[in-house]
Amino acid sequence: MSYAIKCLSFVLYCCFLTGCWSANELTDISLATSLAIDKDEQGYMVTIQVLNPNEIAGDKISNRATVSSYSAVGETMFEAVRKLTETSPRKVNLSHLQLIVYGEELARDGIGKTLDLLLRDHELRTDFNIIVAKGTRGKELISILTPLERIPATKIKTSLESSQNFLASTKVVQLSELVESISAEGKEAVLNSVYVEGDTNFGPKIENAESGTAPTKLLLDGIGVFSDDKLQGWLSTNEGKGYNFITDNITSTSIQTNCGESGKLALEVTSSKTKLKGMWKDGTPQIGITINLEANIADAECVIDLTKEENILALREGADKSIKALVETSILTAKEYESDIFGFGEVMKRSHPKIWDKIKGDWPSHFSNLTVDIEVSTEIKNAGIIAQPIYDAVQRKKQQKEGN
């Protein structure tokens, strides 16, 4: 290849590498980390939480907040977002959203109409978490400043993910899963809830973030149950754990069981696998749930000999009962709302498609009267680095003193 051709090729390649024509300078835009959507008389109130770059960058600490909030009202979601330019000093950029918060009033009224913009806007990524502000508006919730974590949206996001991965009482939901659950046959949506504890007027002040105890806090509080696109009610923390067992969404969690005459023993669940089976018996739909899990002994606050096989068997049976109770209470609460958040209808659709076509129109009623058979099998793999509980030795020492 001649030198001239090489030079020409190099020039042509450069023409295709000019990829910064649409770049936005950080000095010209406001990076939004969270977006709240609330019901308003005119339509929607949209509130964004944006970063203050000067407070995030560098090591210097000032007495100014790391984020600011701006709100606007519009008849449609798009109008409200565009009207944010009237209050925000810069063009709003939504490509770095970590969190979307629905106010409870809007969630109960229906969130379906708000999803179109979130799906259609090319600027938005879909990996943000979506929650409901329990008992308050989303605007109030995202305005709360938090200690330790300088960006409140990051605090909520990490708390949700940690709680799901290590306690399994919450459910992380992103846009694609929410849309799929709302639009699917035989399944309803869930969104985790967060509420404000303390004075919502004090929460946005910098003093709240600087306080070690934070008078106003953001706390996780159960899972919101939807029917179609409307919030119906809540699962408690334990019911949320039961929901995650049913939907095979357990990474790790703790299970408490009785031990000895009056003691308690905690198990650390290290793996869990759930299988759902749809059945048609005596003219009615039924669901079978099989849960197989492995666990380690994490905390024995009782007198027990862990070297005896019969004691381990008793612990396994106790764990089975505890998990079955969590699952049963979760199902009972969902039945009260006539909301199949577990996807039992999808299971019936796959296993008995012809029957499903006949009953799908009345599935909420079938779900409320559904017979569910639950089987749980716990295998205890590890007792830890000590064979006998310390509590056992303490009790023997007390008995010796009393005998003397």
Side-chain angles (χ1 to χ4, degrees), residues 176-187:
S176 57
E177 183 177 355
L178 175 62
V179 172
E180 180 184 357
S181 298
I182 284 179
S183 57
E185 285 186 351
K187 186 179 181 181

Side-chain angles (χ1 to χ4, degrees), residues 176-223:
S176 57
E177 183 177 355
L178 175 62
V179 172
E180 180 184 357
S181 298
I182 284 179
S183 57
E185 285 186 351
K187 186 179 181 181
E188 300 293 352
V190 297
L191 287 177
N192 213 85
S193 68
V194 177
Y195 75 101
V196 180
E197 182 183 78
D199 185 359
T200 56
N201 294 320
F202 185 80
K205 297 181 179 180
I206 190 65
E207 291 83 1
N208 192 66
E210 293 176 340
S211 172
T213 56
T216 306
K217 302 179 180 68
L218 296 177
L219 300 175
L220 307 182
D221 188 42
I223 295 175

Side-chain angles (χ1 to χ4, degrees), residues 82-308:
R82 280 299 176 92
K83 287 177 72 174
L84 285 169
T85 56
E86 296 177 349
T87 56
S88 174
R90 301 170 184 171
K91 181 183 181 298
V92 178
N93 185 290
L94 301 176
S95 62
H96 291 271
L97 275 180
Q98 299 182 45
L99 188 71
I100 287 185
V101 183
Y102 285 107
E104 182 173 341
E105 185 180 7
L106 175 62
R108 290 191 179 275
D109 193 53
I111 64 174
K113 293 181 180 179
T114 68
L115 298 176
D116 192 86
L117 174 68
L118 303 181
L119 286 167
R120 193 179 299 275
D121 195 324
H122 69 281
E123 189 179 84
L124 281 168
R125 299 185 301 186
T126 60
D127 58 351
F128 47 78
N129 294 339
I130 307 176
I131 63 171
V132 176
K134 187 175 183 179
T136 187
R137 295 191 300 174
K139 176 182 178 180
E140 274 73 36
L141 190 140
I142 69 169
S143 299
I144 304 300
L145 300 180
T146 56
L148 296 181
E149 182 55 64
R150 302 179 72 183
I151 304 173
T154 303
K155 186 271 178 193
I156 296 175
K157 183 174 184 292
T158 54
S159 293
L160 275 172
E161 292 172 351
S162 296
S163 179
Q164 175 182 262
N165 293 335
F166 299 108
L167 185 60
S169 61
T170 57
K171 168 66 176 168
V172 173
V173 178
Q174 297 181 343
L175 182 61
S176 57
E177 183 177 355
L178 175 62
V179 172
E180 180 184 357
S181 298
I182 284 179
S183 57
E185 285 186 351
K187 186 179 181 181
E188 300 293 352
V190 297
L191 287 177
N192 213 85
S193 68
V194 177
Y195 75 101
V196 180
E197 182 183 78
D199 185 359
T200 56
N201 294 320
F202 185 80
K205 297 181 179 180
I206 190 65
E207 291 83 1
N208 192 66
E210 293 176 340
S211 172
T213 56
T216 306
K217 302 179 180 68
L218 296 177
L219 300 175
L220 307 182
D221 188 42
I223 295 175
V225 177
F226 282 72
S227 179
D228 296 327
D229 66 335
K230 296 181 179 181
L231 176 67
Q232 303 298 312
W234 313 97
L235 296 182
S236 67
T237 299
N238 282 334
E239 291 166 349
K241 192 178 292 187
Y243 165 83
N244 281 319
F245 268 111
I246 296 170
T247 56
D248 201 20
N249 190 42
I250 298 289
T251 301
S252 179
T253 187
S254 65
I255 297 296
Q256 278 58 243
T257 183
N258 293 327
C259 174
E261 295 182 359
S262 59
K264 288 287 183 179
L265 184 140
L267 294 172
E268 176 195 14
V269 177
T270 56
S271 70
S272 177
K273 184 64 179 178
T274 300
K275 293 183 179 180
L276 303 180
K277 182 180 179 181
M279 299 168 285
W280 185 259
K281 295 182 178 180
D282 301 324
T284 59
Q286 298 182 21
I287 292 291
I289 302 175
T290 303
I291 303 172
N292 293 295
L293 58 104
E294 295 180 354
N296 297 330
I297 295 176
D299 179 18
E301 301 178 4
C302 57
V303 177
I304 185 172
D305 186 349
L306 296 176
T307 63
K308 292 184 177 181

